[in-house]
């Protein structure tokens, strides 16, 4: 089941903000399983529905380039990735630029 989520620009900076989302089942079987698990398929879930506690982590790696992260970039022997890691308790925000050697992958 996919989850269609939306983040605010404040959330991206790790300084608060909101996240909203709703369930998006890809089949009738997924829909039925979600309902059986107590999920509301029509509800728009808010931050407090999705994240509880004061010590939460968020991470993401860009696949395609967007407003938040650069997407995967490939050169002759290297894949370049950009990731984001945030921790709510400390307000720490890390942007990680990584290089992955293709010669080590086989």
């Amino acid at each position: 089941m996919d989850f269609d989520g939306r983040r605010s620009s404040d959330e991206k900076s790790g300084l608060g903000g909101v996240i909203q989302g709703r369930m998006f089942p890809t089949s009738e079987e997924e829909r039925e399983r979600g309902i059986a698990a107590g999920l509301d398929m029509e509800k728009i879930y808010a931050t407090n529905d999705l994240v509880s506690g004061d010590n939460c982590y968020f991470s993401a790696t860009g696949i395609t380039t967007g407003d938040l992260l650069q997407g995967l970039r490939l050169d002759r022997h290297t894949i370049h990735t950009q990731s984001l890691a945030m921790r709510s308790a400390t307000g720490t925000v890390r942007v990680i630029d990584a290089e992955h050697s293709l010669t080590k992958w086989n």
Side-chain angles (χ1 to χ4, degrees):
M1 180 177 319
D2 292 332
F3 183 80
D4 179 22
R6 311 237 186 274
R7 290 184 308 275
S8 77
S9 59
D10 286 342
E11 184 268 335
K12 292 178 189 177
S13 69
L15 301 174
V18 299
I19 184 169
Q20 296 178 332
R22 62 179 283 273
M23 298 300 152
F24 190 79
T26 57
S27 68
E28 188 57 34
E29 178 187 353
E30 277 189 350
R31 181 178 182 75
E32 290 171 7
R33 283 193 349 234
I35 291 169
L39 299 173
D40 182 343
M41 296 295 125
E42 304 304 318
K43 179 178 179 174
I44 296 176
Y45 289 88
T47 304
N48 291 334
D49 298 322
L50 301 168
V51 180
S52 62
D54 295 327
N55 190 18
C56 301
Y57 293 82
F58 172 82
S59 64
T61 298
I63 303 300
T64 58
T65 297
D67 293 338
L68 183 58
L69 294 167
Q70 291 182 356
L72 297 172
R73 296 164 323 279
L74 177 65
D75 64 29
R76 187 175 168 131
H77 298 290
T78 309
I79 297 173
H80 302 270
T81 61
Q82 188 173 62
S83 299
L84 174 70
M86 298 190 297
R87 181 176 179 203
S88 64
T90 60
T92 302
V93 178
R94 291 184 175 95
V95 177
I96 303 138
D97 289 301
E99 296 181 356
H100 310 272
S101 174
L102 289 174
T103 60
K104 303 280 185 177
W105 279 45
N106 290 328

